[in-house]
Amino acid sequence: AQSVTQLDSHVSVSEGTPVLLRCNYSSSYSPSLFWYVQHPNKGLQLLLKYTSAATLVKGINGFEAEFKKSETSFHLTKPSAHMSDAAEYFCVVSDFSSNTGKLIFGQGTTLQVKP
Amino acid sequence: EAGVTQSPTHLIKTRGQQATLRCSPISGHTSVYWYQQALGLGLQFLLWYDEGEERNRGNFPPRFSGRQFPNYSSELNVNALELEDSALYLCASSLKGGGRYTGELFFGEGSRLTVL
């Protein structure tokens, strides 16, 4: 079975400071991992994805994540937070080899950016 | 290029009624997915349709059903509404590569269903 745990339900940073959103996963298979962002009253947008290529994945808006198999982690980082980064972030795992069409979402981390 | 569109944006129903939600995928996408985002429960997989057929469904009762039309649009039907069905229902679409879905989903903004 697959699962994903987002270690912080709420993260608060000041504008211009680094962002770290933590995610651990569990998977019996070689997983595919994603980060999605949801701004208030909006749908979800894909930030980045890992699918067994490079372990350091760069996404949109300056975000990146590093896949660490030994730690079963896929933390999301950004060097400098911007006010527009305030949103809900979801870490997601999927096993495409089983072709279920199903993504497993974490519970989400709310990022607050203070001026 | 138009994104995934969902209608209605908001829907208010009473217990026992039926709700129908609609979704139009991005042009060229053959797969449509439905997810429920309920307060406190996170995002839960509901249904996956591809090329007109239901490929998989999540752990939801049979009163949650849907279909995909020849133009790949989809509708989700919820019968005998219960209070706990109140949620944001998100539709997503994706391309299919080599007979398998790619996992990169494009989401609509959702339909918020309120059951009174």
Side-chain angles (χ1 to χ4, degrees):
Chain A
Q2 295 177 301
S3 66
V4 61
T5 302
Q6 292 183 242
L7 300 173
D8 307 290
S9 59
H10 188 272
V11 169
S12 181
V13 300
S14 298
E15 190 176 19
T17 64
V19 175
L20 170 64
L21 305 182
R22 300 181 295 164
C23 172
N24 286 348
Y25 70 91
S26 174
S27 177
S28 303
Y29 306 92
S30 180
S32 292
L33 294 158
F34 308 79
W35 276 96
Y36 280 84
V37 61
Q38 186 177 31
H39 288 90
N41 300 314
K42 296 289 186 182
L44 283 82
Q45 180 184 21
L46 180 66
L47 273 179
L48 50 81
K49 62 180 179 180
Y50 166 79
T51 54
S52 75
T55 56
L56 182 62
V57 182
K58 294 188 183 297
I60 62 171
N61 301 332
F63 284 95
E64 62 181 39
E66 186 172 8
F67 173 72
K68 291 186 176 180
K69 187 175 181 179
S70 61
E71 299 176 11
T72 61
S73 69
F74 190 58
H75 301 335
L76 182 70
T77 60
K78 183 174 181 177
S80 176
H82 192 270
M83 295 297 292
S84 60
D85 294 328
E88 186 87 9
Y89 291 79
F90 294 93
C91 183
V92 180
V93 65
S94 183
D95 165 38
F96 296 121
S97 63
S98 64
N99 207 34
T100 63
K102 182 178 178 180
L103 299 179
I104 309 295
F105 283 79
Q107 288 299 306
T109 298
T110 301
L111 176 63
Q112 179 188 24
V113 182
K114 296 178 288 186
Chain B
E1 180 184 284
V4 176
T5 57
Q6 293 186 244
S7 64
T9 305
H10 293 88
L11 188 61
I12 300 174
K13 294 284 187 178
T14 56
R15 285 180 60 189
Q17 286 188 313
Q18 179 197 41
T20 298
L21 309 177
R22 295 179 177 84
C23 173
S24 292
I26 291 172
S27 177
H29 287 190
T30 62
S31 280
V32 170
Y33 311 78
W34 287 95
Y35 281 81
Q36 182 196 64
Q37 188 175 26
L39 200 62
L41 295 178
L43 279 141
Q44 303 292 324
F45 170 76
L46 258 170
L47 288 159
W48 172 32
Y49 291 97
D50 184 68
E51 295 181 347
E53 293 190 18
E54 181 180 302
R55 301 293 184 179
N56 196 17
R57 66 179 291 129
N59 189 25
F60 281 83
R63 58 190 185 82
F64 286 83
S65 66
R67 53 180 171 166
Q68 187 178 34
F69 299 99
N71 66 354
Y72 303 119
S73 67
S74 175
E75 69 179 28
L76 173 69
N77 296 294
V78 188
N79 294 319
L81 284 166
E82 300 179 3
L83 296 178
E84 53 264 35
D85 296 334
S86 294
L88 181 68
Y89 289 84
L90 291 165
C91 173
S93 71
S94 75
L95 287 168
K96 210 174 167 192
R100 290 180 173 274
Y101 76 113
T102 64
E104 181 171 349
L105 271 55
F106 296 82
F107 283 84
E109 296 193 353
S111 293
R112 184 163 297 281
L113 173 62
T114 302
V115 183
L116 302 175

